[in-house]
Amino acid sequence: PGATILVIGRDGRQLLNTSVPPGAPMPPPMGPEPTKRVFASGRPEVSNLFEIGPSNHFVVAIDVPVYGDDGTVHYVLSMNPDLQDFNRILRQQKPPANWIASVFDADGTIVAHVPNGERLIGMEPTATFFDKLTKLPEGITDNVSLDGIPVLSAFSHSEEFGWAVGIGVPRTDMTRPALQTAID
């Protein structure tokens, strides 16, 4: 629910777009690189976050090939999920209220973020975190969140599409148990 489904021809034209009323003209070709790569490789692709339309809203495209009888890719079936679904999935994991959970595209751009997801979509994380996120397949870093909270952050990338998930735990949550033990 809330996703847009498209069928895209080899020339980049949209042949079907479930967000366009029946009989209305289709939007001009978008031509994101992942769609072009699906035609070239015949393999599924997931785009990075990009902006479309006059309102410049953010979109992610999940593209899969549609083969013809001759074995070549004739179309790309694309889904643009509702980005709030990513935030809902993060919240369903029930992280502690003061922890930070994020989903990043392959370029390190924030696709989902709990808390404050809507405010931070399309932004890059802090420079310290971004540097490691874009250079390493996984890691742990001591940094300050976009909300100014000192955190210990861990992240890991998916191998196939390069997207990453990161978790930030406030430093106080890490040191409080040790301090409490020392005091007791």
Side-chain angles (χ1 to χ4, degrees), residues 73-92:
V73 179
H74 284 223
Y75 306 102
V76 168
L77 178 63
S78 183
M79 181 178 78
N80 305 138
D82 181 345
L83 294 183
Q84 289 308 310
D85 287 342
F86 292 99
N87 282 330
R88 280 190 281 279
I89 291 167
L90 289 176
R91 283 192 303 275
Q92 286 172 352

Side-chain angles (χ1 to χ4, degrees), residues 58-79:
F58 288 110
V59 174
V60 169
I62 301 168
D63 297 341
V64 296
V66 177
Y67 292 95
D69 291 338
D70 61 358
T72 64
V73 179
H74 284 223
Y75 306 102
V76 168
L77 178 63
S78 183
M79 181 178 78

Side-chain angles (χ1 to χ4, degrees), residues 50-136:
F50 62 99
E51 293 180 277
I52 63 166
S55 64
N56 289 331
H57 70 279
F58 288 110
V59 174
V60 169
I62 301 168
D63 297 341
V64 296
V66 177
Y67 292 95
D69 291 338
D70 61 358
T72 64
V73 179
H74 284 223
Y75 306 102
V76 168
L77 178 63
S78 183
M79 181 178 78
N80 305 138
D82 181 345
L83 294 183
Q84 289 308 310
D85 287 342
F86 292 99
N87 282 330
R88 280 190 281 279
I89 291 167
L90 289 176
R91 283 192 303 275
Q92 286 172 352
Q93 305 314 303
K94 297 183 173 121
N98 59 339
W99 287 25
I100 297 165
S102 302
V103 175
F104 303 93
D105 70 15
D107 285 342
T109 302
I110 297 171
V111 175
H113 190 83
V114 172
N116 303 319
E118 291 181 23
R119 181 174 64 86
L120 299 175
I121 290 175
M123 294 179 65
E124 290 180 352
T126 60
T128 303
F129 187 77
F130 182 78
D131 183 55
K132 291 194 179 197
L133 178 71
T134 56
K135 292 180 179 165
L136 300 170

Side-chain angles (χ1 to χ4, degrees), residues 8 29-41 43-50 61 63 76 107:
I8 302 167
M30 293 187 301
E33 288 305 310
T35 301
K36 293 176 184 175
R37 287 195 301 266
V38 173
F39 279 110
S41 71
R43 297 176 44 92
E45 290 282 342
V46 177
S47 76
N48 288 322
L49 194 67
F50 62 99
D63 297 341
V76 168
D107 285 342

Side-chain angles (χ1 to χ4, degrees), residues 6 10 15 39 51 54 62 77 143 160 183:
L6 302 100
R10 190 169 278 286
L15 305 172
F39 279 110
E51 293 180 277
I62 301 168
L77 178 63
N143 63 308
E160 189 167 1
I183 290 170

Side-chain angles (χ1 to χ4, degrees), residues 138-149:
E138 59 187 17
I140 297 174
T141 182
D142 197 18
N143 63 308
V144 177
S145 74
L146 288 172
D147 293 318
I149 300 166

